[in-house]
């Protein structure tokens, strides 16, 4: 066995091409000499499907002979000891294609991104990356024909290579026993510093390959490792790669620690653990099947509910397994399967029958199973082949076969478990058919725990998702408040109610930043300068809400916006406010709100301009309206749940607040802004609800503390404004639990059915067609809603994967709250209490690491906490770890322990 280690130095020419994309550089590492008669056959590289597992632990700092570890509050578990063995079950590991922690987005294709040199600001990894375990598979059809193979790897830190459990070689690692915490050989200082003595900085805008060359000093190589044919076996063989991190030199840590702001600090930080290239070749390819691209023909393969895209394909070396789901009574729970083909898929059909418990013969009817095809309730007649213009993250490797594209359809299988279902293990069948292919059958398995979730209307988590009547009217081109429009609203509320919707918004003014054209209470002129009021729309709207969601926890009377007193001149010079918005705001200065006037004789509506709230003339008409509306709210039992809004970063003036103290006595204000303010009041009036962008959640040093039940005088929610913009799927699943763990009540200011509704005009061009910029005078800038958790369907709103993940996350949060309340109230003790505490701790750790990639809080960061993961939605490090962390097993354990707690305390189930 021979191999080379080239830890630090690349030839200048090699560096230049490596910066352009690794292709030629890695060919220099791995190509065969021209003297050989046959060109070697690639068997595996990083463009195929791998299974990955990640370990996050506090980084080490080297100061001479002394090693110091920091940031050890949450050290994640290592892999099982037998993980390198060929028969190890890795089905719960992350399905990885391409390099681990490849760049996700940004200035794609620039040398900085292509180099993948470990800057955590571009690859969204983390300083906590201690170990990466990879398992690649290939099929040996005839061991007698197979010859010795050759393996070359490019990496950061150090590597240990295995085939079928046998160690092949090490690169930049110590001799002797290797375990999860073993460190790679130290790097020299020039890996971290430039010629000017300052830390190298990963600039994503960098386009000059020569300036990228110093970044690549962090890459190491092990080449021409001999893989003996005697280690091969007939069938599936497993190449296992363990990448270990190297410590940071203290000189680098001192420099980075002196950088006060997290953004430039992030730009300097490096991950010293990674795999950036791999190539396994055979001299002639005989007896071995390469596994690097999509196989030809039809495939059905397993994925977790958090994975799968239209460019995905199944690993031909992995068997099709049952779809396995864990749940309990009175909830909906999902599994997922993918269908793909190298040809267009026509007439796809998926059918399922009843699920039966073999032991008790109990049945969950087939009608309880719902299917979601991509984002639709039914597949299209033909699913075309999807071709990518850019192979994001799957760089062209030496001798890589041409990319094989396919037609792909994700199928989400959701089982709604009736409230009276007996606990047990249920099984049914999924049958998948398509034109020109044989049917595929696979088991559908559901475990039902002996625990009953409360109905969504009784959930404790506050879910503030906003329904948009105007989006529905514009998208489906129906008149506001027409029969068809009411049917669409009814359908949206039915879907949103399944997620526990708590809030209903009543626009009392028109042309809002939610895009409401009209008010829900219409003003009827009497002809003498006074008005009557038509409450039929608002009454019907609230009827539909209560029909599907129960009594609202919050009724927000939308009485104030950015163009009114207190908001008109607010920071008009900020860069994100366009000149158009500024002019619209200035044109409205001094004016009062607009409302909708209605003529019952003609059924015509028109815009009615009212005096400013602060003017005396406004009191009489508003007083008459609110006198009647107060009685309506009281009759519905909603007056004490009513709040006034919507306060953003600017707030209404004192005169406005004083008016509403008269109109709605004793009612608090509702605030949706950037920063939480304790005991906030609006000119002396309490705030009953705050949804804030920037919140302190929880950190690794207080994971064992109970945060649920933290007492706040008002409802406190998180407003994750960037969700859907750059969010990774697991964030939808942990959203509710993350807020509850952090001591908050839930999440708010998220769009339910807010979709793109404008094309080609001012709004469509500038603001992505979102209805929230329909009226520039009230545009809310950085607080604008950019989310729509439902999607437009043929006949109304329809569910999406993100909505189902969010809904199931709230279900798990409700089960968690049930267990945690039993602990806080000391209703369970002893061994059961200990197991519940351990379960909650593990879930806390999973949310912390999964959301942040081991970053704690951006406002308390130390050097080792620096990562783009501080913004949660962009943490690739957290996402990849979460996918391999056994989140399905945690769900099962949560419901099983909730069932034990229910039995222990005698809760009727």
């Amino acid at each position: 066995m021979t191999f080379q280690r080239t830890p630090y130095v690349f030839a200048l020419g090699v560096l230049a091409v490596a910066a352009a994309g690794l292709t030629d550089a890695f060919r220099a590492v791995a190509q065969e000499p021209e003297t050989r008669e046959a060109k070697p056959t690639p068997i595996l590289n990083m463009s195929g499907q791998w299974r990955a597992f990640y370990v996050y632990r506090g980084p080490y700092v080297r100061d001479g002979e002394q090693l110091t570890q920091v940031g050890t509050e949450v050290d994640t578990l290592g892999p099982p000891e037998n993980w390198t063995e060929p028969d190890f079950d890795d089905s719960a590991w992350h399905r990885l294609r391409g390099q681990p922690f490849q760049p996700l987005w940004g200035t794609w294709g620039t040398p900085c991104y292509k180099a993948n040199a470990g800057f955590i600001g571009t690859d969204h990894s983390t300083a906590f990356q201690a170990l990466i375990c990879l398992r690649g598979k290939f099929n040996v059809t005839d061991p007698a024909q197979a010859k010795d193979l050759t393996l070359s790897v490019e990496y950061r830190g150090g590597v240990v290579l295995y085939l079928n459990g046998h160690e092949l070689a090490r690169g930049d690692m110590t001799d002797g026993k290797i375990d999860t915490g073993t460190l790679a050989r130290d790097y020299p200082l020039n890996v971290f510093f430039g010629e000017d003595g300052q830390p190298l900085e990963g600039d994503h805008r960098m386009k000059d390959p020569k300036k990228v060359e110093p970044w690549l000093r962090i890459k190491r190589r092990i080449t021409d490792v001999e893989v003996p044919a005697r280690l091969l076996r007939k069938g599936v063989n497993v190449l296992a790669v363990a990448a270990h991190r190297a410590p940071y030199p203290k000189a680098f840590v001192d420099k980075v620690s002196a950088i006060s702001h997290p953004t430039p600090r992030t730009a300097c930080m490096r991950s010293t653990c990674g795999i950036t290239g791999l190539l396994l070749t055979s001299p002639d390819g005989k007896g071995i099947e390469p596994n690097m691209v999509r196989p030809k023909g039809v495939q059905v393969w397993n994925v977790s509910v958090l994975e799968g895209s239209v460019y995905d394909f199944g690993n031909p070396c992995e068997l099709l397994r049952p779809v396995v789901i864990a749940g309990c009574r009175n909830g909906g729970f999902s599994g997922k399967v993918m269908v793909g083909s190298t040809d267009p898929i026509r007439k796809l059909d998926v059918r399922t029958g009843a699920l039966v418990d073999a032991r008790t013969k109990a049945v969950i009817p087939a009608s309880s199973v719902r299917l979601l095809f991509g984002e639709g309730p039914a597949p299209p007649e033909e699913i075309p082949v999807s071709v990518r213009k850019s192979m994001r993250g799957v760089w062209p490797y030496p001798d890589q076969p041409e990319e094989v594209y396919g037609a792909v359809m994700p199928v989400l299988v959701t089982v709604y478990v009736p409230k009276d279902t007996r606990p047990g293990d249920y099984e049914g069948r999924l049958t998948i058919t398509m034109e020109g292919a044989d049917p595929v059958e696979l088991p559908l398995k559901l475990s039902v725990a002996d625990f009953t979730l409360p109905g969504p209307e009784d959930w404790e988590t506050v879910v503030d998702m906003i329904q948009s009547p105007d989006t529905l009217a514009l998208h489906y081109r129906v008149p506001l408040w027409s029969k068809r429009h009411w049917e669409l609203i009814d359908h949206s509320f039915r879907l949103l109610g399944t997620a526990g919707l708590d809030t209903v918004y009543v626009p009392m003014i028109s042309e809002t930043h939610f895009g409401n054209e009209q008010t829900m209470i219409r003003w009827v002129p009497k002809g003498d300068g006074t008005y009557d009021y038509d409450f039929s729309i608002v009454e019907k709207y609230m009827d539909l809400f209560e029909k599907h969601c129960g009594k609202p926890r919050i009724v927000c009377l939308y009485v104030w916006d950015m163009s009114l007193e207190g908001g008109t001149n607010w920071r008009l010079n900020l860069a994100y406010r366009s000149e158009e918005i500024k002019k619209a705001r200035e044109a409205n200065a001094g004016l009062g709100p607009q409302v909708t006037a209605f003529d019952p004789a003609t059924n015509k509506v028109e815009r009615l301009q009212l005096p400013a709230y602060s003017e005396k003339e406004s009191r009489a008409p508003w007083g008459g309206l609110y006198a009647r509306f107060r009685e309506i709210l009281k009759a519905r039992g909603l007056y004490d749940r009513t709040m006034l809004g919507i306060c953003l970063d600017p707030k209404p003036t004192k005169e406005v607040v004083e008016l509403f103290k008269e109109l709605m006595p004793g009612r608090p204000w509702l605030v949706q802004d950037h920063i939480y303010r304790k005991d906030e009041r609006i000119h002396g009036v309490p705030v009953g609800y705050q949804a804030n962008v920037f919140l302190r959640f929880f950190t690794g040093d207080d994971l064992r503390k109970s945060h649920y039940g933290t007492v706040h005088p008002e409802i406190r929610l998180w407003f994750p404004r960037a969700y859907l913009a750059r969010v990774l799927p697991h964030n939808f699943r942990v959203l509710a639990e993350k807020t509850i763990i952090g001591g908050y009540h839930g999440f708010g200011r998220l769009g339910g059915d807010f979709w793109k509704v404008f094309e080609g005009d001012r709004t469509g061009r500038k603001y992505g067609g979102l209805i929230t910029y329909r009226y520039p005078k009230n545009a809310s800038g950085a607080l604008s809603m950019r989310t729509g958790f439902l999607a437009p369907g043929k006949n109304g709103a329809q569910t999406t994967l993100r909505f189902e993940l969010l809904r199931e996350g709230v279900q798990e949060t409700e089960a968690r709250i049930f267990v945690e309340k039993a602990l806080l109230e000391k209703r369970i003790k002893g061994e059961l209490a200990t197991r519940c505490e351990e379960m909650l701790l593990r879930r806390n750790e999973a949310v912390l690491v999964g959301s942040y990639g081991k970053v704690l809080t951006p406002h308390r960061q130390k050097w080792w906490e620096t990562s783009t993961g501080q913004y949660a939605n962009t943490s690739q490090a957290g996402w990849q770890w979460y996918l391999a962390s056994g989140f399905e097993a945690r769900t099962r354990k949560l419901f099983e322990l909730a069932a034990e707690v229910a039995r222990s305390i005698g809760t009727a189930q």
Side-chain angles (χ1 to χ4, degrees), residues 18-248:
L22 293 183
T23 302
D24 293 335
F26 207 71
R27 180 173 289 114
V29 175
Q31 76 176 10
E32 298 295 323
E34 297 179 0
T35 55
R36 294 202 178 180
E37 296 181 2
K39 189 176 181 180
T41 301
I43 304 299
L44 274 181
N45 65 11
M46 294 306 299
S47 68
Q49 293 283 4
W50 292 72
R51 290 284 182 173
F53 183 87
Y54 313 92
V55 178
Y56 292 170
R57 297 184 179 177
Y60 279 90
V61 180
R62 171 81 70 184
D63 184 10
E65 297 298 317
Q66 183 177 357
L67 271 175
T68 304
Q69 190 178 18
V70 296
T72 59
E73 295 90 349
V74 183
D75 281 351
T76 68
L77 298 176
E81 288 189 5
N82 64 334
W83 74 270
T84 64
E85 299 294 332
D87 297 323
F88 171 74
D89 181 8
D90 58 14
S91 60
W93 285 22
H94 174 212
R95 297 173 64 252
L96 172 71
R97 188 181 185 212
Q99 305 163 16
F101 305 106
Q102 54 200 311
L104 286 177
W105 39 65
T107 310
W108 190 258
T110 61
C112 175
Y113 279 89
K114 289 186 176 182
N116 197 3
F119 289 104
I120 62 180
T122 56
D123 66 19
H124 297 179
S125 62
T126 173
F128 291 84
Q129 185 70 67
L131 178 68
I132 301 174
C133 301
L134 300 181
R135 287 171 54 89
K137 302 175 180 119
F138 59 95
N139 189 45
V140 174
T141 56
D142 187 351
Q145 291 192 59
K147 298 181 174 61
D148 291 349
L149 310 180
T150 302
L151 174 64
S152 297
V153 183
E154 186 180 73
Y155 54 92
R156 297 191 300 270
V159 291
V160 185
L161 311 175
Y162 308 86
L163 181 74
N164 294 331
H166 300 277
E167 183 177 331
L168 298 172
R170 302 179 182 191
D172 296 287
M173 295 294 296
T174 183
D175 295 331
K177 181 176 173 56
I178 298 288
D179 60 26
T180 298
T182 303
L183 295 176
R185 190 154 55 90
D186 290 35
Y187 279 110
L189 289 178
N190 73 341
V191 167
F192 300 96
F193 290 96
E195 298 300 325
D196 59 358
Q198 296 301 313
L200 293 170
E201 182 176 332
D203 185 351
H204 69 277
R205 299 162 297 183
M206 179 62 66
K207 296 182 179 180
D208 184 350
K210 288 192 175 182
K211 292 185 178 180
V212 175
E213 291 169 10
W215 303 349
L216 303 181
R217 291 195 286 257
I218 199 169
K219 293 189 177 184
R220 293 167 165 173
R221 297 179 291 167
I222 180 170
T223 65
D224 298 327
V225 175
E226 181 183 287
V227 183
R230 59 181 172 77
L231 297 181
L232 299 173
R233 67 177 195 172
K234 186 175 178 62
V236 175
N237 289 251
V238 174
L239 175 67
V241 181
H244 292 254
R245 55 140 171 232
Y248 293 99

Side-chain angles (χ1 to χ4, degrees), residues 530-545:
T530 63
Y531 299 92
D532 197 358
Y533 309 98
D534 176 9
F535 294 91
S536 60
I537 290 173
V538 69
E539 292 249 52
K540 186 169 184 177
Y541 192 72
M542 290 198 290
D543 285 344
L544 291 182
F545 182 96

Side-chain angles (χ1 to χ4, degrees), residues 19 25 185 208 383 417 529 704 812 872 890:
R185 190 154 55 90
D208 184 350
I383 303 161
V417 183
R704 288 188 177 273
E812 292 185 29
R890 286 194 298 272

Side-chain angles (χ1 to χ4, degrees), residues 53 106 201 221 238 263 367 450 479 489 509 557 587 673 703 827:
F53 183 87
E201 182 176 332
R221 297 179 291 167
V238 174
T263 300
S367 59
D450 190 13
I489 293 171
I509 57 176
L557 304 189
D673 63 7
L703 281 178
R827 301 179 69 188

Side-chain angles (χ1 to χ4, degrees), residues 616-879:
K616 291 182 179 180
E617 293 84 355
S618 70
R619 275 170 162 70
W622 284 114
L625 183 151
Y626 277 97
R628 291 177 57 185
F629 197 28
R630 287 197 301 268
E631 296 307 311
I632 290 173
L633 291 169
K634 289 176 181 178
R636 301 179 77 102
L638 297 177
Y639 187 79
D640 290 340
R641 304 183 182 202
T642 301
M643 300 185 189
L644 303 165
I646 299 173
C647 298
L648 303 174
D649 286 335
K651 305 297 186 288
T653 61
K654 183 176 182 179
E655 292 79 7
V656 174
V657 174
E658 289 296 324
L659 172 64
F660 281 97
K661 284 172 67 175
E662 299 175 15
L663 299 176
M664 293 292 291
R667 303 320 308 140
W669 283 82
L670 178 147
V671 174
Q672 297 173 344
D673 63 7
H674 279 90
I675 300 172
Y676 169 74
R677 295 168 181 85
K678 186 178 181 181
D679 300 325
E680 183 171 13
R681 289 175 174 262
I682 310 297
H683 300 292
V685 177
V687 169
Y689 158 122
Q690 287 196 59
N692 310 110
V693 175
F694 301 125
L695 292 177
R696 179 193 183 279
F697 284 96
F698 56 98
T699 61
D701 57 6
D702 59 4
L703 281 178
R704 288 188 177 273
K705 297 178 183 178
S706 174
H707 299 269
Y708 166 71
T710 300
V711 178
H712 297 293
E714 78 287 348
I715 293 174
R716 293 182 60 184
L717 308 177
W718 182 36
F719 166 35
R721 62 179 175 182
Y723 267 48
L724 298 191
R726 288 183 173 182
V727 74
L728 294 165
H730 73 299
N731 285 287
F732 302 125
R733 186 67 171 256
V734 303
L735 173 57
E737 190 167 8
K738 178 178 176 178
T739 60
I740 294 295
I741 295 172
Y744 305 102
H745 297 86
F747 49 87
R749 197 174 166 82
L750 294 181
D753 49 9
F754 280 72
W755 309 318
K756 181 178 179 180
V757 290
F758 298 111
E759 295 281 355
D761 64 356
R762 164 192 56 80
T763 311
R765 291 193 308 272
K766 283 191 176 181
Y767 308 113
L770 296 175
I771 199 170
T772 47
Y773 283 96
R774 186 181 189 182
Y775 300 106
K777 65 181 181 181
N778 283 321
S780 54
L783 291 171
S784 292
M785 284 191 306
R786 303 160 196 166
T787 54
F789 275 82
L790 301 178
K794 183 178 180 181
N795 297 309
Q798 62 189 29
T799 190
T800 61
L801 174 62
R802 58 186 175 271
F803 181 78
E804 293 300 320
L805 292 176
L806 179 142
R807 181 188 59 76
E808 293 190 38
V810 181
Q811 289 179 164
E812 292 185 29
T813 303
E814 292 301 308
R816 176 202 174 95
I817 288 173
F818 174 78
V819 173
E820 192 160 6
K821 285 179 72 174
L823 285 168
L824 292 173
E825 296 168 2
K826 301 187 184 305
R827 301 179 69 188
I828 54 174
K829 299 178 181 180
E831 184 263 347
L832 176 58
T834 299
R835 286 192 289 122
C836 288
E837 289 169 349
E838 184 67 19
M839 179 270 293
L840 293 174
L841 175 62
R842 296 282 86 81
R843 295 188 70 87
N844 290 356
E845 291 175 348
V847 172
L848 173 64
V849 180
S851 292
Y852 295 98
K854 283 286 287 182
V855 176
L856 306 187
T857 57
H859 305 297
R860 288 179 51 189
Q861 285 180 348
K862 298 180 175 62
W863 70 267
W864 61 83
E865 297 170 340
T866 306
S867 166
T868 52
Q870 64 185 275
Y871 300 110
N873 57 311
T874 60
S875 174
Q876 180 177 207
W879 176 55

